[in-house]
Amino acid sequence: MISTQLIIYCINPACNSPINPMGDSVCASCQTPLVHRYLWATGSLSAQIPPGTKVADRYEVISPQIWLDTQPGLSPDAPEELPKEVIPYLRLYQERLHLPQAYGFASYLGGDPTDILLLENVPINEIGNIYSTIVEAWEQATAVRQVYWLWQILQLWTPLSELGLNGSLLVVDNLRVQGWCVRLLELYQTPADEKLSLQNLGQCWQFWVASAKASVAKGLQNIVQQMCETEVELEAINVQLNNLLLASAAELPLVLKVAGSTDIGPLMVQNEDACYPNTLGDLDEPLLPQLSIVCDGIGGHEGGEVASKLAVQSVKLQIRALLTEVTEQTVLVPPELLQEQLEASLRVINNVICAGNNEQKRQGRERMATTIVMALQVPQRVQTSTGWQSNNTHELYLANVGDSRAYWITRNYCQLLTVDDDVTTREVRFAKSLYRKALFRPDASALTQALGARDAESLRLKVQRFIVEEDGILLLCSDGLSDNNCVEQSWQDYAKPVLTGELTVEDAVRNWINLANEKNGRDNTSVVLTYCRVSPEYLVPVTPALPEEIIEAEIQEELEEQEELQEPISFTESSRSLLDLDLDLDLPEEPLITPEIPPTLITKPNRGKRLVMLGGVLALLVGGTSLGLFAWWQFNPQGFQQMCRQLPQRGQQLCPPGK
């Protein structure tokens, strides 16, 4: 607990006024909210420092290894040449949802300045208490959550193994949980002479699954037995665990309510943002509520504005095709394939915008571009333990490029799900700087990636997969809202009324935008909220009961199909008729006002990435010489609709409605 004598200084470096944490919630001088930045002090030395000690005239020891930075507005100490033990934390920055970040170093009693490594983004709550271990929370967790925790650990096994850190996943006290999310306290280097395998992981898990919920116990025990007794491949365990996860999640109800809006802001002369859905339309779109998008254009009128709208409409077109193909599958589409599909979609959008720049002969800083954050809930057919088929797998896929963000908010916490593509992140990922130090660079917030700035091979993409297994709000927003930690400081007042039924999602969207205009105000703002409810009082329809002989026949048919499946999943002809088209496009001749993106801030190409195309539409958009289907529709709607009328019946469903 924080003592009444403790003073924390304002996080604003230009102010740095003292604040009484027991009496003040904001700085009296500049009205900046009070920040409690709790840190984890690593190493045996830090564990010996008694609570109440002030270290380096800055850090207050709250409890063993939990320190509070009383001067969070100052850059933490760090040597110019970073010690090797800190490098893995930087390399793994993209996994910040599960892993801590390196904050800085501290010495104790005149020791070495790098004696103690301090970590932030650790599983410690807002009052300085550490979250429970998996073991402590296991028996109270639902069946879905138990499987979900194990699935997350399995996803971390490979990236940690590559750096010799997978032993971090075997230390029970190191594995903490914040609701659905598994979070690590710190990273432990595995001794060079010790090779860890899935057998070690299985041995760790077997004590937990012994007390797993009845509905998943048999499945988990079978998986763990394979890990412990055979040289099973990681991919095989991943498939089995994923199937069990989706089957258990599908037994939960799921109700989605979505609303979105974009606002020009009090100072801007045009709106370069675009979102889906938008309160001005989209009310009867068939993609709702599964799809949500926010784009923040770069480049001024008819530059960023065109790029952001182009991106939104192009995503909608591709997702229609994707969901059509997915719903026709008789087996589960693996998450890796769906992730690759969404990566391909982003590269498509990039090429559409990039080709527009090339057509207009835009060079350097004149090129239009856009950020994007998008979320897709994929309704796949899955067989549950009760034997019925369900289209309710609770899978949520999340992708972003640039600095538009996604947050997951419940009654108890607010989690940032995405990582910004900016100079600060680049410096950390390349192990050139600690995060807090990089924030003090003059170009810290400059983007390193945006759709349309470079060719698609230049994009470094990561698509995340989540399972919706608790009530919560998925918030997508442009930096008009997220700047200055506005979401982190205000989520309780603006999200909780939705979760308690006191406010509609539409009203909540407007409230968030009003907050952005009040607190930030120098940019456009877009907000899309999806309220996800799995509470039993909101039930979803289930497939009606069928005669037993029909059920058994369907199950047997599926089993035979799975046994015969040797090739990658093949898709229907629903969009392949588009491949034979010879597209041409007339773009506006007038020049567009375009973005300022320094060439040095564009990341290096990610060569050799294999893309899996699930439909002919994507193959055409990526490989074709034209700007793509949507661009054709955007600038030549009559010609596009004429083409659609010539397609087969099912192909016409992929075309946007005529204007």
Side-chain angles (χ1 to χ4, degrees):
M1 297 296 293
I2 302 174
S3 66
T4 55
Q5 292 77 25
L6 180 61
I7 297 297
I8 298 178
Y9 290 85
C10 180
I11 195 172
N12 182 354
C15 176
N16 202 36
S17 299
I19 306 173
N20 180 352
M22 298 301 293
D24 302 325
S25 59
V26 298
C27 174
S29 300
C30 67
Q31 298 303 300
T32 299
L34 174 64
V35 171
H36 289 134
R37 185 166 294 149
Y38 291 99
L39 310 170
W40 180 256
T42 64
S44 57
L45 175 60
S46 64
Q48 300 170 11
I49 303 176
T53 305
K54 193 75 167 286
V55 179
D57 200 31
R58 173 172 180 172
Y59 302 103
E60 183 84 12
V61 180
I62 304 300
S63 59
Q65 295 187 265
I66 297 179
W67 295 9
L68 176 66
D69 188 356
T70 64
Q71 301 182 61
L74 303 181
S75 177
D77 291 336
E80 287 299 322
E81 184 175 347
L82 295 173
K84 64 179 182 180
E85 61 265 23
V86 79
I87 301 302
Y89 290 97
L90 308 181
R91 296 288 188 192
L92 292 167
Y93 183 76
Q94 289 292 110
E95 304 291 344
R96 66 177 301 280
L97 188 58
H98 304 285
L99 304 182
Q101 298 170 219
Y103 184 74
F105 293 87
S107 63
Y108 181 59
L109 298 179
D112 190 294
T114 60
D115 272 346
I116 300 172
L117 171 62
L118 300 174
L119 303 176
E120 64 174 325
N121 190 44
V122 285
I124 298 174
N125 65 18
E126 66 280 358
I127 60 173
N129 295 327
I130 195 168
Y131 287 116
S132 301
T133 66
I134 285 185
V135 172
E136 294 167 340
W138 182 263
E139 291 190 4
Q140 287 72 43
T142 63
V144 180
R145 184 162 288 185
Q146 288 177 343
V147 182
Y148 195 17
W149 284 342
L150 298 185
W151 186 84
Q152 292 173 62
I153 293 173
L154 198 64
Q155 306 316 299
L156 291 171
W157 185 258
T158 296
L160 293 189
S161 296
E162 291 171 350
L163 296 176
L165 302 166
N166 48 354
S168 307
L169 300 172
L170 305 179
V171 181
V172 174
D173 197 55
N174 196 45
L175 297 171
R176 304 283 168 160
V177 288
Q178 181 187 22
W180 66 273
C181 185
V182 174
R183 302 182 62 184
L184 274 62
L185 268 176
E186 56 182 291
L187 298 176
Y188 295 107
Q189 191 71 43
T190 305
D193 58 348
E194 185 178 351
K195 184 174 177 57
L196 299 177
S197 67
L198 286 180
Q199 185 177 25
N200 301 102
L201 189 60
Q203 290 168 351
C204 180
W205 287 3
Q206 63 183 354
F207 299 103
W208 309 347
V209 302
S211 58
K213 292 294 190 287
S215 60
V216 296
K218 184 176 180 180
L220 287 179
Q221 288 165 5
N222 180 54
I223 291 171
V224 169
Q225 184 177 2
Q226 294 179 59
M227 295 169 68
C228 292
E229 298 179 0
T230 63
E231 294 184 3
V232 64
E233 295 291 332
L234 175 65
E235 183 177 354
I237 296 300
N238 201 19
V239 169
Q240 294 178 60
L241 196 59
N242 180 64
N243 290 345
L244 182 61
L245 175 59
L246 294 184
S248 56
E251 302 210 17
L252 296 174
L254 178 61
V255 173
L256 303 175
K257 298 179 181 179
V258 62
S261 185
T262 183
D263 189 85
I264 191 173
L267 299 179
M268 301 295 287
V269 296
Q270 77 265 343
N271 193 351
E272 297 176 42
D273 281 8
C275 69
Y276 177 80
N278 192 323
T279 51
L280 300 179
D282 303 328
L283 297 180
D284 299 318
E285 281 275 356
L287 290 172
L288 295 179
Q290 275 76 27
L291 179 65
S292 54
I293 314 167
V294 165
C295 291
D296 184 353
I298 304 168
H301 180 60
E302 293 188 347
E305 184 179 11
V306 168
S308 61
K309 290 180 179 177
L310 198 62
V312 167
Q313 298 297 342
S314 184
V315 168
K316 290 167 60 179
L317 178 64
Q318 295 171 66
I319 295 303
R320 285 193 193 104
L322 172 62
L323 292 183
T324 297
E325 303 288 7
V326 168
T327 55
E328 292 171 351
Q329 300 310 303
T330 57
V331 295
L332 285 172
V333 182
E336 297 80 12
L337 193 56
L338 286 168
Q339 287 168 320
E340 289 184 1
Q341 171 62 59
L342 292 174
E343 284 188 22
S345 297
L346 291 177
R347 296 183 193 279
V348 165
I349 300 162
N350 184 89
N351 284 353
V352 168
I353 300 171
C354 197
N357 284 323
N358 295 340
E359 185 76 13
Q360 290 292 310
K361 296 180 171 56
R362 302 176 182 277
Q363 300 295 327
R365 298 180 179 182
E366 295 181 352
R367 296 176 73 83
M368 62 181 175
T370 185
T371 72
I372 187 171
V373 59
M374 58 177 285
L376 176 65
Q377 196 271 326
V378 180
Q380 295 199 67
R381 292 179 67 212
V382 61
Q383 187 170 333
T384 68
S385 61
T386 56
W388 311 123
Q389 294 291 333
S390 170
N391 284 328
N392 182 19
T393 57
H394 295 237
E395 282 185 286
L396 180 70
Y397 289 84
L398 186 65
N400 72 295
V401 177
D403 60 357
S404 294
R405 291 182 172 183
Y407 295 86
W408 178 250
I409 305 174
T410 70
R411 296 189 187 192
N412 300 317
Y413 49 78
C414 172
Q415 297 165 327
L416 173 60
L417 303 180
T418 52
V419 175
D420 295 345
D421 292 313
D422 57 18
V423 169
T424 299
T425 299
R426 183 195 65 185
E427 293 298 289
V428 175
R429 258 191 337 104
F430 292 163
K432 293 182 177 180
S433 172
L434 301 187
Y435 177 79
R436 293 293 165 183
K437 183 176 181 181
L439 282 177
F440 283 84
R441 291 175 57 110
D443 60 349
S445 61
L447 296 182
T448 56
Q449 292 203 125
L451 294 180
R454 290 287 184 273
D455 63 78
E457 286 297 312
S458 300
L459 289 177
R460 177 185 49 79
L461 300 173
K462 179 181 180 182
V463 178
Q464 303 178 80
R465 200 275 289 258
F466 304 94
I467 299 297
V468 179
E469 47 86 59
E470 65 178 351
D471 291 359
I473 293 172
L474 179 67
L475 165 64
L476 307 186
C477 64
S478 61
D479 62 348
L481 174 61
S482 63
D483 275 354
N484 301 312
N485 297 315
C486 196
V487 175
E488 289 85 347
Q489 294 168 3
S490 309
W491 66 271
Q492 296 192 46
D493 295 331
Y494 287 81
K496 281 189 175 181
V498 178
L499 295 168
T500 56
E502 302 170 38
L503 195 67
T504 66
V505 288
E506 293 81 6
D507 289 339
V509 166
R510 176 47 53 188
N511 289 350
W512 279 110
I513 288 178
N514 290 340
L515 175 69
N517 288 338
E518 176 188 346
K519 296 294 185 180
N520 294 328
R522 289 185 282 184
D523 201 354
N524 314 136
T525 298
S526 291
V527 173
V528 178
L529 290 183
T530 303
Y531 176 31
C532 308
R533 182 152 196 145
V534 301
S535 297
E537 53 263 40
Y538 281 77
L539 297 177
V540 296
V542 296
T543 305
L546 298 173
E548 279 190 26
E549 60 271 16
I550 297 179
I551 296 171
E552 291 177 359
E554 287 188 354
I555 293 174
Q556 183 61 34
E557 183 181 350
E558 281 211 19
L559 291 174
E560 291 173 357
E561 288 174 348
Q562 292 183 41
E563 290 175 358
E564 295 173 0
L565 190 63
Q566 301 295 330
E567 300 292 332
I569 293 175
S570 60
F571 289 83
T572 66
E573 298 293 328
S574 62
S575 57
R576 289 182 184 160
S577 55
L578 301 178
L579 287 171
D580 298 327
L581 297 175
D582 182 16
L583 301 186
D584 192 14
L585 175 66
D586 293 326
L587 287 176
E589 295 181 357
E590 53 204 88
L592 304 179
I593 301 174
T594 49
E596 183 172 334
I597 304 179
T600 57
L601 301 187
I602 303 301
T603 55
K604 297 180 181 179
N606 181 17
R607 303 290 180 186
K609 179 68 175 177
R610 183 175 65 90
L611 300 182
V612 178
M613 301 301 171
L614 300 191
V617 176
L618 292 181
L620 175 64
L621 287 172
V622 173
T625 56
S626 71
L627 297 190
L629 295 177
F630 170 71
W632 187 12
W633 168 59
Q634 181 76 3
F635 294 108
N636 190 0
Q638 292 80 12
F640 189 82
Q641 290 299 321
Q642 183 177 1
M643 178 275 292
C644 287
R645 286 191 289 272
Q646 297 172 356
L647 294 177
Q649 182 73 23
R650 289 173 64 247
Q652 293 183 25
Q653 297 174 3
L654 305 180
C655 300
K659 293 186 178 180

